[in-house]
Amino acid sequence: MTRLVNSLLNVARISDGKFSYTFVPTNISAILSRVSDDFADKIKAKKIVFTSDVPEDLPQVPVDEGTFSLVVENLLDNAIKYTPESGSVSLSAGPRQGGIRIIVSDSGIGIAEEDQRRIFEKFFRSKQATQMFTDGSGLGLFIVKTIVEDHGGTISLSSRQGGGTQVTVDLSATPKA
Protein backbone atom coordinates (compact mmCIF):
# COMPACT_ATOMS: atom_id res chain seq x y z
CA MET A 1 0.00 0.00 0.00
CA THR A 2 2.86 2.37 0.86
CA ARG A 3 4.48 1.71 -2.51
CA LEU A 4 1.21 2.48 -4.33
CA VAL A 5 0.71 5.73 -2.42
CA ASN A 6 4.31 6.79 -3.13
CA SER A 7 3.85 5.99 -6.83
CA LEU A 8 0.65 8.03 -6.98
CA LEU A 9 2.35 10.94 -5.23
CA ASN A 10 5.26 10.77 -7.67
CA VAL A 11 2.88 10.75 -10.64
CA ALA A 12 1.05 13.78 -9.20
CA ARG A 13 4.37 15.61 -8.79
CA ILE A 14 5.35 14.73 -12.36
CA SER A 15 1.99 15.93 -13.71
CA ASP A 16 2.21 19.19 -11.74
CA GLY A 17 5.81 19.79 -12.83
CA LYS A 18 6.89 19.63 -9.18
CA PHE A 19 9.21 16.64 -9.48
CA SER A 20 12.44 18.45 -8.68
CA TYR A 21 16.01 17.30 -9.05
CA THR A 22 19.37 18.26 -7.63
CA PHE A 23 21.99 17.05 -10.08
CA VAL A 24 25.37 16.20 -8.60
CA PRO A 25 28.23 14.31 -10.29
CA THR A 26 27.69 10.84 -8.87
CA ASN A 27 29.35 7.46 -8.80
CA ILE A 28 26.63 5.38 -10.45
CA SER A 29 28.50 2.19 -9.49
CA ALA A 30 27.75 2.92 -5.83
CA ILE A 31 24.02 3.36 -6.53
CA LEU A 32 23.84 0.15 -8.56
CA SER A 33 25.71 -1.80 -5.89
CA ARG A 34 23.57 -0.45 -3.04
CA VAL A 35 20.29 -1.15 -4.82
CA SER A 36 21.45 -4.64 -5.85
CA ASP A 37 22.32 -5.38 -2.21
CA ASP A 38 18.82 -4.24 -1.19
CA PHE A 39 17.34 -6.99 -3.39
CA ALA A 40 19.63 -9.80 -2.18
CA ASP A 41 16.94 -11.42 -0.03
CA LYS A 42 14.35 -11.42 -2.84
CA ILE A 43 16.91 -12.86 -5.26
CA LYS A 44 17.86 -15.60 -2.79
CA ALA A 45 14.22 -16.42 -1.99
CA LYS A 46 13.44 -17.03 -5.68
CA LYS A 47 16.74 -18.87 -6.27
CA ILE A 48 17.52 -16.44 -9.07
CA VAL A 49 20.98 -16.46 -10.55
CA PHE A 50 22.03 -12.82 -10.29
CA THR A 51 25.06 -11.46 -12.12
CA SER A 52 26.46 -7.98 -11.91
CA ASP A 53 29.03 -6.49 -14.25
CA VAL A 54 29.44 -2.98 -12.91
CA PRO A 55 32.96 -1.56 -12.85
CA GLU A 56 33.75 0.59 -9.84
CA ASP A 57 35.48 3.19 -12.00
CA LEU A 58 32.54 4.27 -14.15
CA PRO A 59 32.70 7.93 -15.13
CA GLN A 60 30.66 10.11 -12.82
CA VAL A 61 27.49 11.56 -14.32
CA PRO A 62 25.22 14.22 -12.82
CA VAL A 63 22.13 12.60 -11.31
CA ASP A 64 19.71 13.24 -8.52
CA GLU A 65 20.67 10.26 -6.38
CA GLY A 66 17.28 9.81 -4.73
CA THR A 67 15.20 9.80 -7.90
CA PHE A 68 17.76 7.87 -9.91
CA SER A 69 17.79 5.19 -7.21
CA LEU A 70 14.03 4.81 -7.90
CA VAL A 71 14.87 3.98 -11.53
CA VAL A 72 17.27 1.19 -10.59
CA GLU A 73 14.97 -0.12 -7.83
CA ASN A 74 12.01 -0.33 -10.18
CA LEU A 75 13.93 -2.02 -12.99
CA LEU A 76 15.46 -4.64 -10.69
CA ASP A 77 12.17 -5.19 -8.87
CA ASN A 78 10.37 -5.85 -12.17
CA ALA A 79 13.14 -8.16 -13.41
CA ILE A 80 12.98 -10.20 -10.21
CA LYS A 81 9.19 -10.18 -9.94
CA TYR A 82 8.60 -11.36 -13.51
CA THR A 83 11.37 -13.97 -13.56
CA PRO A 84 10.33 -17.45 -12.47
CA GLU A 85 12.14 -19.29 -9.69
CA SER A 86 15.67 -20.38 -10.68
CA GLY A 87 15.73 -17.90 -13.57
CA SER A 88 18.38 -15.28 -14.14
CA VAL A 89 18.70 -11.52 -13.77
CA SER A 90 21.72 -9.46 -14.74
CA LEU A 91 22.79 -5.90 -14.18
CA SER A 92 25.57 -4.32 -16.18
CA ALA A 93 26.91 -0.84 -16.73
CA GLY A 94 29.67 0.73 -18.71
CA PRO A 95 30.87 3.95 -20.25
CA ARG A 96 29.47 5.11 -23.56
CA GLN A 97 30.12 8.20 -25.62
CA GLY A 98 28.99 11.16 -23.52
CA GLY A 99 27.80 9.19 -20.52
CA ILE A 100 27.07 5.67 -19.31
CA ARG A 101 24.83 2.74 -20.23
CA ILE A 102 22.99 0.56 -17.72
CA ILE A 103 21.35 -2.72 -18.77
CA VAL A 104 18.97 -4.86 -16.72
CA SER A 105 18.18 -8.23 -18.31
CA ASP A 106 16.09 -11.15 -17.14
CA SER A 107 14.91 -14.57 -18.26
CA GLY A 108 11.36 -13.78 -17.20
CA ILE A 109 7.94 -13.94 -18.79
CA GLY A 110 8.73 -11.26 -21.36
CA ILE A 111 6.34 -8.79 -22.90
CA ALA A 112 4.18 -9.48 -25.94
CA GLU A 113 5.09 -7.40 -28.98
CA GLU A 114 1.70 -5.68 -29.05
CA ASP A 115 2.15 -4.54 -25.43
CA GLN A 116 5.71 -3.21 -25.81
CA ARG A 117 4.69 0.10 -27.40
CA ARG A 118 2.55 0.94 -24.35
CA ILE A 119 4.78 -0.39 -21.57
CA PHE A 120 5.92 3.08 -20.43
CA GLU A 121 2.37 4.52 -20.34
CA LYS A 122 0.73 5.52 -17.10
CA PHE A 123 -1.36 2.67 -15.55
CA PHE A 124 -0.48 0.17 -18.31
CA ARG A 125 0.34 -3.44 -17.41
CA SER A 126 0.87 -6.18 -19.96
CA LYS A 127 -1.61 -9.04 -20.24
CA GLN A 128 0.94 -11.56 -18.96
CA ALA A 129 1.75 -9.38 -15.94
CA THR A 130 -1.88 -8.98 -14.93
CA GLN A 131 -2.59 -12.70 -15.39
CA MET A 132 0.41 -13.87 -13.38
CA PHE A 133 0.66 -11.14 -10.75
CA THR A 134 -2.32 -9.28 -9.36
CA ASP A 135 -0.30 -6.60 -7.59
CA GLY A 136 1.13 -3.63 -9.42
CA SER A 137 -0.19 -0.24 -10.41
CA GLY A 138 1.25 0.21 -13.88
CA LEU A 139 2.98 3.38 -12.70
CA GLY A 140 6.54 2.19 -12.15
CA LEU A 141 7.81 2.25 -15.73
CA PHE A 142 6.03 5.54 -16.41
CA ILE A 143 7.90 7.07 -13.47
CA VAL A 144 11.17 5.44 -14.56
CA LYS A 145 10.89 6.83 -18.09
CA THR A 146 10.09 10.31 -16.80
CA ILE A 147 13.07 10.33 -14.44
CA VAL A 148 15.47 8.99 -17.08
CA GLU A 149 14.33 11.57 -19.64
CA ASP A 150 14.52 14.37 -17.05
CA HIS A 151 18.12 13.29 -16.51
CA GLY A 152 18.78 13.83 -20.23
CA GLY A 153 18.80 10.09 -20.86
CA THR A 154 16.91 7.55 -22.89
CA ILE A 155 15.33 4.22 -22.03
CA SER A 156 14.57 1.35 -24.38
CA LEU A 157 13.21 -2.13 -24.03
CA SER A 158 13.75 -5.36 -25.92
CA SER A 159 11.57 -8.32 -25.03
CA ARG A 160 10.11 -11.54 -26.31
CA GLN A 161 7.06 -13.14 -24.74
CA GLY A 162 8.32 -16.11 -22.75
CA GLY A 163 11.91 -15.14 -23.53
CA GLY A 164 12.86 -12.43 -21.07
CA THR A 165 13.34 -8.69 -21.21
CA GLN A 166 16.26 -6.31 -21.49
CA VAL A 167 15.95 -2.66 -20.47
CA THR A 168 18.69 -0.23 -21.50
CA VAL A 169 19.18 3.17 -19.89
CA ASP A 170 21.61 5.61 -21.47
CA LEU A 171 22.55 8.51 -19.22
CA SER A 172 24.15 11.64 -20.56
CA ALA A 173 26.92 13.58 -18.90
CA THR A 174 24.61 16.60 -19.34
CA PRO A 175 21.20 16.43 -17.62
CA LYS A 176 18.11 17.90 -19.30
CA ALA A 177 16.47 19.58 -16.29
Side-chain angles (χ1 to χ4, degrees):
M1 185 60 97
T2 301
R3 189 175 178 144
L4 175 61
V5 170
N6 285 334
S7 291
L8 289 169
L9 288 171
N10 285 334
V11 168
R13 288 182 195 111
I14 289 168
S15 297
D16 291 344
K18 294 181 180 175
F19 211 63
S20 62
Y21 304 95
T22 303
F23 295 104
V24 176
T26 303
N27 178 349
I28 297 298
S29 300
I31 294 173
L32 298 176
S33 177
R34 180 179 42 78
V35 173
S36 296
D37 289 348
D38 291 346
F39 283 97
D41 289 341
K42 272 188 172 183
I43 290 167
K44 186 177 180 180
K46 285 188 78 174
K47 300 177 184 145
I48 288 175
V49 176
F50 179 74
T51 56
S52 178
D53 181 16
V54 180
E56 290 183 22
D57 61 345
L58 280 174
Q60 290 194 352
V61 293
V63 298
D64 178 279
E65 189 170 341
T67 58
F68 192 73
S69 292
L70 286 175
V71 168
V72 181
E73 289 167 10
N74 190 279
L75 294 178
L76 279 177
D77 187 52
N78 282 351
I80 294 163
K81 183 189 311 183
Y82 297 113
T83 296
E85 191 168 297
S86 301
S88 63
V89 172
S90 69
L91 171 65
S92 63
R96 70 164 189 89
Q97 179 114 12
I100 63 167
R101 173 170 283 172
I102 300 165
I103 299 173
V104 177
S105 300
D106 65 60
S107 64
I109 64 173
I111 303 163
E113 192 172 333
E114 64 268 14
D115 289 341
Q116 290 179 30
R117 63 181 168 75
R118 298 191 58 212
I119 203 71
F120 295 107
E121 290 179 12
K122 201 182 321 181
F123 299 113
F124 180 78
R125 294 185 69 216
S126 73
K127 291 174 194 146
Q128 303 90 284
T130 56
Q131 289 170 353
M132 293 184 75
F133 303 95
T134 57
D135 68 333
S137 63
L139 295 172
L141 289 176
F142 168 77
I143 293 168
V144 164
K145 183 174 194 254
T146 301
I147 293 170
V148 168
E149 290 177 348
D150 286 351
H151 277 73
T154 60
I155 186 166
S156 61
L157 176 134
S158 171
S159 187
R160 187 170 48 91
Q161 189 170 356
T165 300
Q166 177 176 301
V167 178
T168 302
V169 174
D170 286 323
L171 281 181
S172 174
T174 309
K176 174 182 151 187

